[in-house]
Structure formats: structure tokens, C-alpha cells
């Protein structure tokens, strides 16, 4: 079965699927309100990405491209922030979380995240390091092979 990360359309079916994730919350509720007012714009990209296993949404994450106004990452004016990365229990240990992170790394920007409880070993496996000694935030930095500044 070819598993692929896809941009999730923010429709009522997706919102219904989100209810099976632990991290379901206010963000999705506000999106439901937006959906009800802009249901016509089906082609708009949402910040949510997911992996379907058969016809079931098995893993998802929320990605934001942020402007680095605080100069958190030297040499970059943008970074990717991962929120709500979660794999449903029945689909864990199948590489879906790593596939989501690999997708985020394809932007070739630094990535920041704040790991949930008991997920530290996962983030270490996918090469994330603490931002600083007493920070709870983790970061991944792309290799600087072709460090070309695009403007």
C-alpha cells in the first residue's frame, strides 16, 4: 500500500475524522466555523496534512510556515512549525510519524516543534535537538549543502 502525505481538505468529513485524535481542540472548532462561511472555496489549502491508511485518516499534523521575527534560527528568515503531530494508536510503529516529519523536512527550512509528553524518543530518532539547554522546544536544521538565499 503506497502511503503518502496529503494536504487535508477542511470539510465536514475531515473534521469528523479529527474527533478520533487526542489533540482535537479549539483550532479545529474555529476551522469548522470558517468552513461554514467559506465552504465554496474547496481548493484552499489547509495547514493540516495527513496520511490515510485505507480509507481511514491514520496520522496527521499541522504545519505553519513562520516568519522568524525573533531570529530563533540564525541565517533563516522563515521556519516550519509542526503542531499536533499524532498517529492513532492502531497505526503507531508503522513509520507514519516519520513519514509526516520527512514531508515537513522537504520544505528545506528549519523546523520547530514542542513535543507532547512521552514523545521525546520519537523526535530524537528523526534528528530533532533541544533549542537550548532548558527549552522544551525542539529544532531540526536542514543541511547547508546548497545554501542559496531566495528573495
Amino acid at each position: 500500500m503506497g502511503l503518502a502525505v496529503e494536504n487535508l481538505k477542511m470539510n465536514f468529513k475531515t473534521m469528523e475524522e479529527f474527533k478520533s485524535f487526542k489533540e482535537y481542540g479549539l483550532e479545529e472548532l474555529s476551522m469548522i466555523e470558517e468552513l461554514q462561511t467559506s465552504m465554496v472555496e474547496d481548493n484552499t489549502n489547509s495547514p493540516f496534512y495527513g496520511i490515510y491508511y485505507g480509507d481511514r485518516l491514520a496520522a496527521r499534523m499541522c504545519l505553519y510556515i513562520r516568519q522568524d521575527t525573533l531570529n530563533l534560527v540564525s541565517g533563516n528568515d522563515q521556519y516550519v512549525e509542526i503542531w499536533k503531530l499524532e498517529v492513532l494508536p492502531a497505526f503507531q510503529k508503522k513509520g507514519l510519524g516519520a513519514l509526516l516529519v520527512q514531508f515537513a523536512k522537504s520544505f528545506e527550512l528549519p523546523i520547530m516543534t514542542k513535543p507532547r509528553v512521552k514523545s521525546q524518543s520519537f523526535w530524537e530518532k528523526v534528528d530533532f535537538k533541544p533549542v537550548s539547554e532548558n527549552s522544551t522546544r525542539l529544532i531540526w536544521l536542514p543541511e547547508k549543502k546548497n545554501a542559496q538565499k531566495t528573495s
Side-chain angles (χ1 to χ4, degrees):
M1 176 182 332
L3 299 173
V5 176
E6 54 187 89
N7 185 244
L8 299 177
K9 298 280 182 247
M10 286 295 98
N11 54 37
F12 291 109
K13 178 182 180 290
T14 304
M15 287 307 185
E16 203 51 43
E17 289 175 314
F18 276 7
K19 290 180 182 174
S20 55
F21 288 85
K22 281 185 195 161
E23 289 276 307
Y24 181 77
L26 293 175
E27 193 170 3
E28 288 88 348
L29 291 174
S30 69
M31 285 185 167
I32 287 176
E33 288 173 15
E34 279 178 41
L35 271 177
Q36 290 168 335
T37 57
S38 66
M39 200 56 128
V40 186
E41 299 176 46
D42 194 36
N43 61 349
T44 56
N45 282 343
S46 81
F48 283 98
Y49 293 83
I51 299 172
Y52 282 90
Y53 203 93
D55 62 351
R56 180 130 186 245
L57 183 62
R60 66 146 192 200
M61 71 178 165
C62 190
L63 285 187
Y64 293 106
I65 305 282
R66 303 274 195 212
Q67 293 300 315
D68 190 3
T69 54
L70 300 175
N71 202 23
L72 298 168
V73 186
S74 63
N76 285 285
D77 53 358
Q78 290 185 321
Y79 64 93
V80 174
E81 187 161 22
I82 295 179
W83 278 91
K84 294 181 179 258
L85 188 144
E86 189 171 358
V87 178
L88 292 177
F91 302 100
Q92 290 175 0
K93 309 282 187 231
K94 297 182 185 315
L96 302 183
L99 199 58
L100 287 172
V101 171
Q102 197 57 45
F103 177 81
K105 287 178 177 181
S106 72
F107 287 85
E108 295 187 7
L109 288 170
I111 303 172
M112 294 262 225
T113 192
K114 190 169 184 177
R116 293 181 31 212
V117 178
K118 298 181 184 170
S119 67
Q120 195 74 28
S121 63
F122 165 78
W123 291 105
E124 287 170 6
K125 278 186 220 163
V126 291
D127 301 321
F128 278 69
K129 309 268 185 269
V131 170
S132 64
E133 224 176 285
N134 28 353
S135 176
T136 57
R137 296 176 61 107
L138 299 178
I139 191 166
W140 172 84
L141 296 170
E143 290 180 28
K144 298 203 186 309
K145 289 179 211 159
N146 308 338
Q148 298 173 342
K149 191 84 170 160
T150 55
S151 34

